[in-house]
């Protein structure tokens, strides 16, 4: 606003928006400016009314479409599922997805090569050889002990024996 209260107009140019309007009003008298504002107000009211009408028509069309979908057995879940399937298909067909898949496969192959080298080193180490030998010996001893056991029963036979408190004859 200007410093003089008498000459101040409620339409002084103070903001960037006002400066745009000011360019439209340049060279117009106060009466012409007021007439221009009234035209804009009328156009705005008409545009807002058209928007409201379009929203109502759109809402009506959406209700009609929902009714048709219901009659066709198309549910919201089905639409969602189809949209998700299509989205996934589009994603998998995208260049970015394909590049990422190729890069992951390449990284997997490199990791496999690197770990193969590490494992071959572990297998060749004397500590692993000793541990492997010890485990093999323990496993062999356990097998021998089990095979020399008097019982060659099945699990069901052992369960019956436990329940009845009697021994069943060994199967041959």
């Amino acid at each position: 606003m200007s410093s003089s209260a008498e000459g101040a107009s409620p339409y002084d140019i103070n903001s960037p928006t006002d400066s745009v309007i000011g360019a439209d009003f340049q060279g117009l008298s106060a009466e012409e400016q007021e007439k221009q504002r009234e035209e804009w107000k009328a156009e705005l009211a008409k545009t807002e009314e058209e928007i409201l009408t379009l929203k109502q028509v759109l809402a009506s069309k959406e209700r009609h479409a929902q009714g048709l979908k219901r009659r066709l057995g198309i549910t919201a879940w089905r639409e969602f599922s189809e949209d998700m399937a299509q989205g996934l298909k589009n994603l998998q067909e995208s260049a970015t997805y394909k590049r990422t898949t190729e890069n992951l496969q390449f990284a997997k192959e490199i990791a496999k090569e690197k770990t193969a080298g590490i494992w071959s080193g572990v297998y060749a180490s004397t500590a692993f050889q000793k541990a492997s030998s010890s485990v093999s010996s323990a496993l062999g001893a356990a097998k021998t002990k089990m095979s020399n056991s008097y019982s060659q029963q099945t699990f069901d036979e052992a369960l019956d024996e436990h329940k009845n408190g009697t021994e069943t004859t060994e199967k041959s």
Side-chain angles (χ1 to χ4, degrees):
M1 300 217 65
S2 67
S3 57
S4 168
E6 291 176 23
S9 163
Y11 306 112
D12 280 342
I13 299 172
N14 291 322
S15 70
T17 304
D18 290 340
S19 65
V20 172
I21 295 169
D24 290 339
F25 283 161
Q26 221 170 24
L28 296 180
S29 67
E31 195 175 285
E32 291 171 325
Q33 289 179 12
E34 191 58 37
K35 182 179 178 187
Q36 181 64 55
R37 280 193 183 86
E38 291 303 320
E39 286 177 19
W40 286 343
K41 286 179 185 178
E43 186 177 346
L44 177 60
K46 181 181 176 190
T47 302
E48 287 176 340
E49 184 179 321
E50 289 173 353
I51 290 170
L52 182 61
T53 301
L54 289 171
K55 284 180 179 180
Q56 291 169 344
V57 169
L58 180 61
S60 173
K61 294 283 185 186
E62 287 175 338
R63 283 191 301 273
H64 181 67
Q66 281 304 111
L68 291 172
K69 286 178 183 179
R70 191 173 46 253
R71 288 183 184 122
L72 291 169
I74 301 171
T75 63
W77 177 252
R78 182 172 162 193
E79 277 188 280
F80 174 75
S81 296
E82 289 172 357
D83 289 347
M84 288 300 290
Q86 184 62 45
L88 184 59
K89 181 181 175 196
N90 292 346
L91 174 69
Q92 290 173 338
E93 291 173 353
S94 72
T96 304
Y97 181 86
K98 289 177 181 176
R99 261 194 323 271
T100 303
T101 302
E102 290 168 3
N103 290 339
L104 286 173
Q105 184 62 34
F106 181 67
K108 182 179 170 184
E109 290 170 7
I110 289 173
K112 190 182 272 186
E113 290 172 12
K114 297 290 183 186
T115 56
I118 291 170
W119 284 114
S120 65
V122 168
Y123 293 144
S125 72
T126 54
F128 181 80
Q129 296 297 327
K130 286 180 183 177
S132 177
S133 176
S134 297
V135 168
S136 293
S137 297
L139 184 60
K143 281 183 180 179
T144 302
K145 195 166 203 165
M146 288 178 65
S147 66
N148 293 339
S149 170
Y150 75 94
S151 175
Q152 296 292 320
Q153 300 171 324
T154 65
F155 178 74
D156 289 334
E157 291 171 340
L159 187 60
D160 287 341
E161 180 182 319
H162 178 72
K163 285 181 185 174
N164 299 330
T166 62
E167 284 190 31
T168 57
T169 58
E170 289 186 17
K171 288 191 174 180
S172 327

